[in-house]
Amino acid sequence: MSHNRYDLKSLIKKYDTPLMLFDQDVFESRLGEIEAALGKVCGDFRIYYAAKAFFNTGLGKLLNKLGLYLDASSYGEIYVALKSGFDPARINYHGHNKKEEELRLALKAGVATVTVDSIEELATIQSIARDLGRVQEILIRVNPGVSVHTDEKIRTGCSDSKFGIPYERIESVFVDLKKYPNLKFVGLHCHVGSQIFETAPYLEAAQRLFDLFLKAHREGFPVRLFNLGGGFGITYKDETPFPTEELTRVASFVKEKAQKSGIQMPVLCFEPGRFLAGPSGTTLYTIGTIKEVPQRTYLSVDGGLFENPRPALYGAVYDAYVLERGPDAEKAMSYRVCGRTCESDVLIPEIKLAKARVGDHLVVSNTGAYNYSMSSNYNQYPRPAVVLLHDGKDGLLVAREEYEDLTRKDQTPDWLA
Ligand code: LLP
């Protein structure tokens, strides 16, 4: 985020901490980068924002305004999108274990496409679509069997994975599809994983997907959507980010293949979540205790595992600076930044910072993706507020949870009343 455009201290005064800032202008400019790279090669392409990274009704309104498509991984995400007024004709619904009632709700709502993740799901969607008297457009999610260098927990396109239909089985799906008159097969999908920095896995996946694409055409399915999923890696601390200009190469690769095979260039689709949301987010904390032990100095902030479980889950490492000293101050001290839950919840295992004092604030960048969306009320901490920044303005996107929210769903069984 463009720190100098906003007075972070007055935002803290206005909204308190922990606070997540979400910079709309960063989001839009990153979207612009992807669009520019694809626009060089493709006349027609689609960007589906992966809602799981960070989503709420305000963001749904923004995405709708930007003309983005939405990649929903659950009916809950579709529900939020609909509440925000997002056009269902631009929603794709995926997920490897959707329940029948969830699919029914999604189809009733009029989602444009459903990504089928298993052979059994074909019959389920067929029966719902028939009940509703309509034809449902579907994509088939292929497990391309591509290996990538990323955290094991976010690797999805390798062969040992619960996601997608194994590559080798797809041709039999083409045969099965002919039994389902209420399904219209419109595209193929794959997703190799998340926080990826190289182009190779995308090219490999594109190659594999294209082979199936051609086979589908030969089987009499004039499929158009060619969805390579999300996963573009970002910088949290020292990583070299995924070079978006490489998307031009991926698009050219597909275009050449189409030309050589004499078919129309498919509609290339991507589903970035982290790439758009991650760098748009910044979290502001108040520094509480600073404790020296023989091994190190612990600096505790008023957030932690409940609002950012990523360090604990994936060993994610973030960058930070002390607000009162500024981003460019000499980093003279080494700290371990930890959260305030009753766990050894380390937010940043070791970081050099300018000398911090109790009551100062810590600014942690790149917290927009999978932080708030994976947050919890562990230790009964209310979730932070999220503020949207745009063009020098600030406005609440999600209000801070109140203590009241913590008991909103609690019930008292008779024998305790
Ligand atoms: N499409 C599909 C089918 C996906 O499964 C995912 C992410 C995406 C798109 C978006 O991927 P992205 O562009 O955001 O990398 N909680 C983990 C990340 C899990 C990603 C799950 N799938 C984390 O915090 O790193």
Side-chain angles (χ1 to χ4, degrees):
M1 96 174 216
S2 45
H3 290 107
N4 37 17
R5 274 182 76 189
Y6 296 92
D7 178 359
L8 301 188
K9 280 192 201 144
S10 49
L11 289 173
I12 289 173
K13 235 189 201 153
K14 188 165 168 189
Y15 298 106
D16 205 357
T17 62
L19 179 67
M20 187 172 123
L21 303 174
F22 197 84
D23 192 328
Q24 178 179 337
D25 304 322
V26 172
F27 188 92
E28 289 186 24
S29 94
R30 293 181 70 81
L31 174 63
E33 274 181 45
I34 300 178
E35 288 175 337
L38 292 175
K40 282 188 188 151
V41 179
C42 312
D44 197 5
F45 61 85
R46 296 183 185 181
I47 310 295
Y48 290 77
Y49 171 70
K52 74 200 83 172
F54 174 65
F55 197 47
N56 45 62
T57 48
L59 199 69
K61 286 188 170 50
L62 171 65
L63 303 176
N64 207 24
K65 226 170 84 179
L66 295 173
L68 275 167
Y69 287 76
L70 191 77
D71 167 50
S73 67
S74 68
Y75 183 74
E77 290 174 358
I78 296 173
Y79 176 86
V80 174
L82 296 173
K83 277 264 175 186
S84 77
F86 192 91
D87 181 2
R90 274 190 278 121
I91 298 180
N92 177 63
Y93 180 23
H94 82 274
H96 85 288
N97 187 19
K98 310 174 195 80
K99 292 188 179 182
E100 183 178 340
E101 59 267 32
E102 293 163 340
L103 278 163
R104 195 173 290 278
L105 287 169
L107 263 61
K108 271 194 185 152
V111 296
T113 48
V114 177
T115 302
V116 173
D117 203 286
S118 68
I119 292 168
E120 300 76 37
E121 203 175 51
L122 291 169
T124 312
I125 303 174
Q126 159 64 30
S127 121
I128 300 168
R130 192 192 41 225
D131 288 353
L132 298 176
R134 53 180 283 202
V135 171
Q136 178 60 46
E137 296 198 344
I138 57 156
L139 284 89
I140 305 287
R141 176 162 179 174
V142 180
N143 178 337
V146 170
S147 49
V148 289
H149 305 114
T150 189
D151 190 275
E152 196 188 338
K153 299 193 197 84
I154 50 179
R155 214 181 280 165
T156 47
C158 54
S159 65
D160 185 1
S161 161
K162 67 177 183 178
F163 296 105
I165 300 175
Y167 190 83
E168 300 69 30
R169 300 206 56 187
I170 300 292
E171 282 183 69
S172 70
V173 175
F174 295 165
V175 177
D176 289 351
L177 271 171
K178 297 190 172 146
K179 299 190 297 217
Y180 301 121
N182 295 72
L183 302 186
K184 184 175 179 202
F185 175 33
V186 296
L188 287 166
H189 172 280
C190 72
H191 171 75
V192 287
S194 200
Q195 186 66 341
I196 298 193
F197 299 105
E198 299 128 6
T199 322
Y202 290 100
L203 292 174
E204 209 182 313
Q207 170 70 59
R208 305 212 89 195
L209 212 61
F210 191 82
D211 291 344
L212 291 176
F213 205 78
L214 261 191
K215 283 185 182 146
H217 275 246
R218 292 196 189 117
E219 287 289 329
F221 299 105
V223 290
R224 293 280 298 126
L225 303 182
F226 193 94
N227 192 327
L228 289 172
F232 314 145
I234 64 165
T235 306
Y236 283 100
K237 196 169 167 62
D238 302 316
E239 307 90 331
T240 310
F242 178 83
T244 26
E245 60 281 4
E246 284 287 284
L247 290 177
T248 311
R249 204 167 127 214
V250 177
S252 305
F253 178 82
V254 177
K255 192 172 193 172
E256 257 172 51
K257 297 222 148 277
Q259 275 164 354
K260 276 195 193 138
S261 318
I263 62 166
Q264 202 185 344
M265 168 71 174
V267 178
L268 207 52
C269 310
F270 285 99
E271 300 168 339
R274 188 193 315 268
F275 184 85
L276 297 174
S280 307
T282 301
T283 304
L284 306 178
Y285 298 103
T286 301
I287 296 169
T289 51
I290 299 178
K291 207 176 271 183
E292 276 178 44
V293 299
Q295 296 80 355
R296 66 186 88 253
T297 305
Y298 282 92
L299 184 153
S300 292
V301 295
D302 55 353
L305 187 63
F306 65 99
E307 51 80 41
N308 183 3
R310 299 196 66 259
L313 278 172
Y314 316 111
V317 176
Y318 290 81
D319 204 2
Y321 69 88
V322 180
L323 177 60
E324 283 69 11
R325 308 293 98 74
D328 304 319
E330 194 200 339
K331 301 186 168 141
M333 298 285 296
S334 188
Y335 293 101
R336 171 166 287 181
V337 179
C338 54
R340 65 195 304 222
T341 66
C342 199
E343 301 252 350
S344 306
D345 65 338
V346 174
L347 271 180
I348 307 175
E350 180 151 8
I351 185 168
K352 292 239 184 249
L353 294 171
K355 192 168 169 51
R357 298 188 197 110
V358 171
D360 283 346
H361 297 95
L362 194 72
V363 183
V364 180
S365 40
N366 297 303
T367 56
Y370 304 107
N371 285 40
Y372 193 90
S373 69
M374 294 179 80
S375 64
S376 71
N377 287 127
Y378 183 51
N379 284 180
Q380 305 292 6
Y381 282 116
R383 286 183 179 79
V386 186
V387 165
L388 187 69
L389 305 177
H390 171 52
D391 207 12
K393 298 182 293 249
D394 55 272
L396 260 189
L397 202 51
V398 189
R400 181 176 303 285
E401 279 182 344
E402 306 290 338
Y403 286 117
E404 250 175 33
D405 292 316
L406 298 175
T407 55
R408 206 173 286 285
K409 287 287 176 189
D410 288 3
Q411 304 283 316
T412 307
D414 302 347
W415 63 93
L416 293 181

